[in-house]
Amino acid sequence: MEEESESHKGLLEKLILSFKCLLIGMPLKCRLNNVSIKKMIMISGAAEIYRRYFVMNMFDGALAALGVIMGMWVSGIGDPRIVVRTVLAAGFAMFFSGALGAYLTEKAERERKIRELEETMFQDIKGSLFERSSRLATFLVSVVDGISPLIACIILALPFMVSSMFELSFTATASIALGLGIATLGALGFFLSRIARERSIGYPLFMILAGLASAIVIVLLGAYV
């Protein structure tokens, strides 16, 4: 039993290593046995980029979803399925545009840095730890950039997905979605305050006010346009 367990453990380690090799882009030889993903992220210096992209794009996704929901509410559209399809369509559109745009942009910037480093060192660093870390950072940045607005859209679409189960009216469902949107923005603000190492409510308050302001503007536009 112990030998079988060790065999399974060895197979799992090989699969994990193979995935890491594929992720970094080392088809011929992979030397990652002593290099963790966390260490490669530190080398690439991309941790703050991930945080920045996550907050910015989740903020955009939450406001976009709030805009769609409030716009449909003031327009008199009372079908939750239409709201779900529209919000999710917007989320997936932002996912693909954000992921592809971030990948191409980050790839170009990091390749430029690698070329500049090679020119400074008079040495080819292709296949080095720094180059592999840059590839990993490019991939992860694109994933974070794309998935963060989609997460926000899914959160705000949830009340409409389950509204039929609880027989909620469209107004009640939209109110719950608005509350979720405000809570999401507040959580993002709290996350920013933790990054800034501050205890003030300035960031959460600003995020919440931004969401409320956008909702009010949309309601007013629906009333007078």
Side-chain angles (χ1 to χ4, degrees), residues 22-210:
L22 180 64
L23 185 65
I24 307 305
M26 296 289 291
L28 297 179
K29 187 177 181 181
C30 185
R31 301 183 296 276
L32 294 175
N33 295 298
N34 298 319
V35 182
S36 65
I37 296 294
K38 183 178 180 179
K39 184 177 180 180
M40 298 184 77
I41 291 175
M42 292 176 61
I43 292 172
S44 66
E48 65 179 52
I49 300 177
Y50 304 148
R51 294 195 297 264
R52 189 183 307 127
Y53 275 35
F54 176 79
V55 174
M56 287 192 305
N57 290 281
M58 195 162 186
F59 180 78
D60 290 343
L63 287 187
L66 278 175
V68 170
I69 292 169
M70 298 304 296
M72 289 189 172
W73 179 60
V74 298
S75 299
I77 298 175
D79 191 346
R81 293 173 297 180
I82 297 177
V83 178
V84 172
R85 291 168 186 168
T86 306
V87 171
L88 292 185
F92 277 105
M94 287 187 285
F95 170 80
F96 288 111
S97 65
L100 293 175
Y103 178 81
L104 294 174
T105 303
E106 195 68 21
K107 186 174 184 293
E109 287 289 340
R110 291 190 176 272
E111 285 182 348
R112 180 181 65 82
K113 290 182 180 179
I114 289 174
R115 299 291 84 80
E116 291 177 350
L117 186 59
E118 287 178 336
E119 292 173 1
T120 302
M121 298 175 61
F122 299 101
Q123 183 178 351
D124 183 7
I125 62 172
K126 185 176 178 60
S128 66
L129 181 59
F130 181 80
E131 194 263 349
R132 285 180 285 160
S133 299
S134 295
R135 289 191 184 190
L136 175 64
T138 300
F139 173 77
L140 293 180
V141 164
S142 64
V143 171
V144 171
D145 191 287
I147 204 169
S148 50
L150 179 59
I151 291 174
C153 289
I154 291 175
I155 290 174
L156 269 71
L158 278 175
F160 295 94
M161 294 179 185
V162 301
S163 61
S164 60
M165 296 173 55
F166 298 97
E167 298 182 352
L168 296 174
S169 66
F170 189 89
T171 300
T173 307
S175 300
I176 294 172
L178 177 61
L180 279 177
I182 298 302
T184 300
L185 294 174
L188 288 175
F190 178 75
F191 178 66
L192 287 178
S193 67
R194 292 293 299 273
I195 292 175
R197 297 181 180 180
E198 294 182 1
R199 295 180 178 272
S200 66
I201 62 170
Y203 286 105
L205 185 60
F206 178 83
M207 288 286 195
I208 292 172
L209 289 176

Side-chain angles (χ1 to χ4, degrees), residues 14-25 32 37 139:
K14 289 181 180 179
L15 289 174
I16 294 174
L17 180 60
S18 299
F19 174 74
K20 290 168 69 177
C21 295
L22 180 64
L23 185 65
I24 307 305
L32 294 175
I37 296 294
F139 173 77

Side-chain angles (χ1 to χ4, degrees), residues 71 74-75 215-225:
V74 298
S75 299
I216 292 171
V217 169
I218 292 168
V219 171
L220 292 176
L221 285 175
Y224 293 101
V225 175

